[in-house]
Amino acid sequence: KNEVEQSPQNLTAQEGEFITINCSYSVGISALHWLQQHPGGGIVSLFMLSSGKKKHGRLIATINIQEKHSSLHITASHPRDSAVYICAVRSVAGGATNKLIFGTGTLLAVQP
Amino acid sequence: AAGVIQSPRHLIKEKRETATLKCYPIPRHDTVYWYQQGPGQDPQFLISFYEKMQSDKGSIPDRFSAQQFSDYHSELNMSSLELGDSALYFCASSLRVSGPYTFGSGTRLTVV
């Protein structure tokens, strides 16, 4: 069982739809990242969360530390949002607090 | 704003050759991380440095070595390249171990 799991793995939406991507983790963490990666491209950090909720433009990220769960929401989705969205946690296991453990990613396709 | 710079962007090498990848962190960032992402795979942590000292080590093969220099840039040296080393190698930097990550665009290495 992966330490970081995302759902769904694949998501197709129509332009304008509200999108939710979920992330559950099983390890103790100091922070959780939501990342965006376009096909063949580099990674862009969207959010780093340790509690509560953050908003940036049409993107909202929430985290529930007790339930070990985080969600990424995209409002008014647009075809340019099409990308892989990755949840990654900064584990505190074994005292190592700097490396990230990545989820398997959610491939989002927003159709016009 | 300055970002994390990686060079080269693309690299093609033959089996058993050597390769050197470079990562220039955001100014004043003192921590650098290296990750390897094989085709269709999750990024895997290789190694990290804080203040020019190795701070954590992941699944880095013995054929690879890395260091962080006095100007905080880092180099990943890869020897006796194998076909399976073909991947996207990206680095990230942060201010101290606990700071938010900023990712580079990656170096795509192809071993033929």
Side-chain angles (χ1 to χ4, degrees), chain B residues 1-106:
Chain B
V4 176
I5 306 297
Q6 289 188 247
S7 67
R9 291 294 304 273
H10 301 273
L11 187 59
I12 299 175
K13 289 285 186 178
E14 295 188 354
K15 284 193 303 183
R16 293 180 288 277
E17 284 193 319
T18 61
T20 297
L21 310 185
K22 297 183 180 182
C23 172
Y24 296 86
I26 285 183
R28 292 185 291 114
H29 278 193
D30 50 17
T31 308
V32 171
Y33 317 81
W34 285 98
Y35 288 84
Q36 175 193 56
Q37 186 178 27
Q41 297 181 1
D42 308 334
Q44 296 296 315
F45 173 72
L46 293 177
I47 195 166
S48 64
F49 294 90
Y50 168 64
E51 280 293 342
K52 294 155 278 186
M53 300 286 288
Q54 181 182 306
S55 58
D56 200 359
K57 190 173 181 180
S59 53
I60 184 169
D62 292 340
R63 299 177 288 109
F64 295 4
S65 64
Q67 59 181 320
Q68 186 179 32
F69 294 85
S70 58
D71 63 352
Y72 296 106
H73 94 272
S74 179
E75 295 184 4
L76 178 66
N77 299 294
M78 310 159 73
S79 63
S80 302
L81 287 169
E82 302 173 356
L83 295 178
D85 296 329
S86 296
L88 177 66
Y89 292 84
F90 59 89
C91 79
S93 73
S94 67
L95 177 61
R96 295 186 291 279
V97 166
S98 58
Y101 274 45
T102 300
F103 290 88
S105 297

Side-chain angles (χ1 to χ4, degrees), chain A residues 9-110:
Chain A
Q9 289 190 328
N10 294 282
L11 181 57
T12 300
Q14 295 297 313
E15 184 173 357
E17 285 187 3
F18 179 83
I19 290 164
T20 296
I21 300 171
N22 295 300
C23 174
S24 296
Y25 53 92
S26 57
V27 295
I29 69 168
S30 59
L32 180 145
H33 293 254
W34 280 103
L35 311 169
Q36 181 194 57
Q37 186 175 32
H38 285 96
I43 289 180
V44 175
S45 179
L46 299 174
F47 296 102
M48 186 178 84
L49 292 164
S50 54
S51 65
K53 175 181 176 178
K54 286 189 176 180
K55 184 176 188 295
H56 182 71
R58 296 180 294 107
L59 302 179
I60 303 167
T62 63
I63 188 169
N64 185 317
I65 296 295
Q66 287 73 30
E67 294 185 3
K68 295 189 174 180
H69 180 270
S70 176
S71 294
L72 176 69
H73 306 284
I74 304 175
T75 61
S77 59
H78 190 276
R80 64 174 174 266
D81 297 327
S82 299
V84 175
Y85 291 84
I86 304 169
C87 169
V89 301
R90 189 172 281 183
S91 171
V92 296
T97 60
N98 57 354
K99 68 182 178 186
L100 294 181
I101 302 172
F102 288 77
T104 52
T106 295
L107 178 59
L108 171 66
V110 181

